[in-house]
Amino acid sequence: MSIIFTQSNYEKMTEHCASGLPNEACGLLGGICDEAGKHVRNVYLLTNMDASPEHFTMDPSEQFAALKDMQKAGIDLIGNFHSHPDTPSRASEEDKRLAFDQTQSYVIISFIDRDAPVIKSFRITDGISTEEPILVQE
């Protein structure tokens, strides 16, 4: 199953992560699922309370506000995203350990090359990450 972004949501997510450098940045993805895939309708930009280049903790009050907004908009939590400022776009051991919901998409944006970020999405089940396709549409 693919995760499908509009161009503007894809850019919003990427710009948020770039603006957080040299620390990790994070957020939530709200949308709908159908036979074509997971359609991202809203990107929620959250604060990394750790202010760290190696870890992130989402602000709980911002998470709650995002979930409340999703409920109001009639969409579901379909995933989250965070950046890896200096490591590849792959699920780290910590990412795998903290992935509690196998139905979610875990999008990771690597900024090893600051001018050409690498964005990948994963499904994580029982500590095993499987890359899923990302589609960007107008």
Side-chain angles (χ1 to χ4, degrees), residues 122-135:
F122 300 92
R123 300 288 294 274
I124 302 174
T125 305
D126 298 326
I128 298 170
S129 63
T130 305
E131 190 172 350
E132 65 182 351
I134 296 176
L135 300 175

Side-chain angles (χ1 to χ4, degrees), residues 3-6 8-9 12 28-34 37-44 69-70 73-76 78 137:
I3 184 163
I4 305 161
F5 288 88
T6 62
S8 62
N9 277 336
K12 180 179 180 180
L28 297 175
L29 303 171
I32 59 166
C33 297
D34 64 18
K38 296 178 181 177
H39 302 266
V40 176
R41 296 290 189 245
N42 291 339
V43 173
Y44 297 89
D69 185 75
M70 287 180 214
I75 59 177
D76 297 311
I78 61 171
Q137 300 176 338

Side-chain angles (χ1 to χ4, degrees), residues 49-125:
M49 293 177 50
D50 293 343
S52 166
E54 297 174 353
H55 302 281
F56 74 96
T57 300
M58 294 179 183
D59 180 302
S61 63
E62 292 176 355
Q63 289 181 71
F64 181 74
L67 292 171
K68 202 170 167 183
D69 185 75
M70 287 180 214
Q71 185 177 34
K72 184 177 176 182
I75 59 177
D76 297 311
L77 175 65
I78 61 171
N80 65 60
F81 67 91
H82 73 279
S83 58
H84 283 182
D86 299 306
T87 57
S89 179
R90 66 174 177 244
S92 68
E93 290 307 311
E94 182 175 355
D95 294 333
K96 292 176 191 176
R97 185 174 51 80
L98 296 174
F100 295 111
D101 188 341
Q102 65 188 14
T103 67
Q104 299 292 297
S105 293
Y106 297 89
V107 178
I108 301 173
I109 306 168
S110 172
F111 284 93
I112 291 176
D113 180 346
R114 298 291 198 248
D115 297 323
V118 175
I119 304 172
K120 294 184 179 180
S121 183
F122 300 92
R123 300 288 294 274
I124 302 174
T125 305

